[in-house]
Amino acid sequence: MQQFNSLIWRDCDNRYATHRLSYISVQDDYQVNVNLLLLAQYLDQQNHPLALAQWETLAATIEDWDTKVVSPYRKLRRLAKSHLQPGEYQQMLDIELMMERKTQQMLLRKLNQFEAEGISVISDNNNPSYNTDNYLCLFGIDANYFTELQSA
């Protein structure tokens, strides 16, 4: 049984930094949760597939927090940007990052719960983007679209 820890997010942060605009675009255009997308890509890299139902559960785990707290705050930060001094705006970004870290903790707890429950998934998986495909299909997005977005 694999136990996941917060070091996952270091890899995810590096990936995000490399393709920041692509992630923001898919977040804004399709309401994709970037943390979940980054997690899917990380798990694909680790060849650790999760079933579609598990992606639905992960999304449901953070839905209230994301829709009631994080997304409204992000919208407020963006609206306030032109009215704030750079230091004030950075403080808002720091608060949003703190909220994102809380989201990541929630996802890790659920992911480790899956591991503890020993929920098995496809053992013969030859699709290198299995998790990314499963997560993005919840939004009706073809994973190739996101790959193309990243290479643009």
Side-chain angles (χ1 to χ4, degrees):
M1 175 180 75
Q2 183 170 355
Q3 181 75 16
F4 294 98
N5 62 47
S6 60
L7 293 178
I8 287 174
W9 302 112
R10 184 185 58 208
D11 292 336
C12 293
D13 288 346
N14 290 336
R15 181 184 295 264
Y16 176 82
T18 305
H19 301 288
R20 188 174 82 70
L21 295 178
S22 298
Y23 287 103
I24 291 171
S25 175
V26 77
Q27 171 186 273
D28 291 349
D29 294 347
Y30 296 96
Q31 289 65 58
V32 166
N33 183 285
V34 171
N35 284 308
L36 278 170
L37 180 54
L38 288 165
L39 179 60
Q41 293 175 316
Y42 174 84
L43 292 174
D44 282 340
Q45 235 178 354
Q46 302 302 310
N47 195 27
H48 191 89
L50 299 180
L52 180 58
Q54 290 174 299
W55 285 106
E56 291 168 342
T57 299
L58 284 168
T61 297
I62 61 168
E63 184 177 8
D64 270 0
W65 171 250
D66 193 55
T67 58
K68 293 178 181 174
V69 179
V70 181
S71 292
Y73 185 83
R74 181 179 300 120
K75 184 176 181 180
L76 174 66
R77 176 188 51 81
R78 288 176 175 176
L79 288 170
K81 184 176 184 175
S82 63
H83 305 287
L84 298 173
Q85 296 297 318
E88 295 170 324
Y89 184 70
Q90 185 59 51
Q91 286 178 328
M92 288 191 82
L93 279 172
D94 292 344
I95 291 169
E96 187 175 345
L97 181 59
M98 179 184 63
M99 292 177 186
E100 294 289 358
R101 295 293 181 222
K102 180 167 178 58
T103 302
Q104 293 170 348
Q105 291 168 4
M106 296 164 73
L107 291 171
L108 272 182
R109 274 194 302 276
K110 185 54 77 175
L111 185 59
N112 283 321
Q113 183 182 336
F114 291 156
E115 294 301 304
E117 292 169 354
I119 298 173
S120 62
V121 294
I122 299 167
S123 58
D124 183 27
N125 177 33
N126 294 323
N127 179 356
S129 63
Y130 182 83
N131 292 302
T132 304
D133 291 348
N134 269 343
Y135 178 61
L136 290 177
C137 89
L138 298 175
F139 300 89
I141 303 171
D142 186 309
N144 291 328
Y145 165 80
F146 186 70
T147 304
E148 290 167 10
L149 190 63
Q150 285 186 306
S151 62

